[in-house]
Amino acid sequence: MFLHRIHLNPRCREARRDLADPYQLHSSLCRAFSDPAIKCAEGEFLWRLEPERDHAGYPCILIQSRSIPDWTSIGVKGWLAKVDPPIDLKSSLRFDSLEVGHRFRFRLRANPCVTRAGKRLGLLKLKEQEKWIERKGRQHGFSLSRRTSFGLSESPQRQINVRVSQEQMLRGIRHSGNVIRVFSVLYDGILTVIDPDNFKDALQTGIGHGKTMGLGLLSVAPIS
């Protein structure tokens, strides 16, 4: 499992198109991971357009993959401004020694939603979004809870180590011309591992829906 950071060149027309349309950006990234004549394997990679730009002002994309990509297969001159060296995540995160209680800083851009009458609806209220990530955490082997505090009434107030920001409706256009719309938010915070096996699965396969739109990548950094 490898982590890559690439920097796109906004002066390139195709790069600007991809930055404006996450579905098209996913299609461009697929070319680096599969032969043009073969459909990109599901789960081959996860990705996220980062909210920050690098020191030169270039947009950054974080990509996690099963294999090392061939960036020349993107096939567009000037699309890439810079490629950072890949990181072996299983080694850097010490996968074989993950234990209950290990803590990490994390970032996740996701689609907090609920299904009603067969339709997937985005959760727009902050409390709903927080409950969604807490529930997903329990499903995927981590906890966001921190020590209980007391308010003026001395009643316990449980808090979570997460900040929710960047609510937005992502819009993409399929090759057929059909429009895709996916609600997304950005989660940043601190998590504690409660089930190492489920946690490792979440790191490898992602969380929630909308992965072709740049959602679901759980990126973490150990807290020493």
Side-chain angles (χ1 to χ4, degrees):
M1 192 166 74
F2 301 96
L3 187 69
H4 319 269
R5 180 178 281 106
I6 64 173
H7 310 251
L8 297 197
N9 178 7
R11 289 189 290 272
C12 171
R13 182 182 64 182
E14 289 84 356
R16 291 197 303 272
R17 176 207 63 190
D18 288 350
L19 289 167
D21 184 332
Y23 187 83
Q24 294 299 323
L25 178 50
H26 179 84
S27 294
S28 293
L29 292 172
C30 277
R31 296 201 293 272
F33 291 94
S34 64
D35 186 277
I38 302 173
K39 186 177 180 180
C40 190
E42 184 177 351
E44 175 60 37
F45 67 94
L46 299 166
W47 65 278
R48 181 178 65 240
L49 176 62
E50 294 287 63
E52 306 89 2
R53 296 200 170 203
D54 67 14
H55 67 279
Y58 293 126
C60 299
I61 300 172
L62 204 65
I63 304 156
Q64 180 183 292
S65 68
R66 298 173 182 170
S67 59
I68 297 294
D70 177 8
W71 298 118
T72 62
S73 294
I74 297 292
V76 179
K77 184 178 180 180
W79 191 82
L80 279 173
K82 180 184 175 185
V83 178
D84 294 349
I87 298 171
D88 184 335
L89 281 179
K90 289 191 175 181
S91 174
S92 64
L93 296 178
R94 299 178 181 177
F95 255 41
D96 294 335
S97 59
L98 272 178
E99 296 180 356
V100 172
H102 281 181
R103 300 173 75 233
F104 295 87
R105 296 189 183 279
F106 79 92
R107 171 170 283 178
L108 170 70
R109 191 185 299 279
N111 166 229
C113 65
V114 63
T115 301
R116 292 176 183 148
K119 293 185 178 181
R120 196 176 296 149
L121 305 174
L123 298 174
L124 305 182
K125 296 181 180 179
L126 177 60
K127 288 297 181 184
E128 293 177 332
Q129 294 164 359
E130 290 177 339
K131 287 180 180 179
W132 182 90
I133 189 62
E134 282 191 281
R135 185 171 65 254
K136 289 297 180 182
R138 290 191 296 271
Q139 292 174 4
H140 294 289
F142 62 89
S143 169
L144 302 173
S145 297
R146 63 188 183 192
R147 185 172 299 175
T148 300
S149 62
F150 291 85
L152 295 176
S153 64
E154 293 303 312
S155 59
Q157 297 176 339
R158 186 176 57 80
Q159 298 176 316
I160 60 174
N161 282 312
V162 68
R163 178 172 65 90
V164 184
S165 63
Q166 291 203 341
E167 293 186 16
Q168 57 182 310
M169 185 65 73
L170 301 177
R171 182 179 181 275
I173 302 177
R174 295 182 187 269
H175 301 302
S176 63
N178 293 333
V179 177
I180 310 170
R181 291 184 178 85
V182 181
F183 177 72
S184 72
V185 303
L186 186 70
Y187 293 99
D188 287 285
I190 296 173
L191 62 79
T192 302
V193 177
I194 58 175
D195 184 324
D197 289 336
N198 280 348
F199 182 63
K200 285 187 280 188
D201 286 344
L203 290 175
Q204 294 179 88
T205 61
I207 295 176
H209 303 284
K211 294 182 177 68
T212 58
M213 298 288 280
L215 307 180
L217 170 59
L218 176 65
S219 52
V220 299
I223 297 176
S224 56

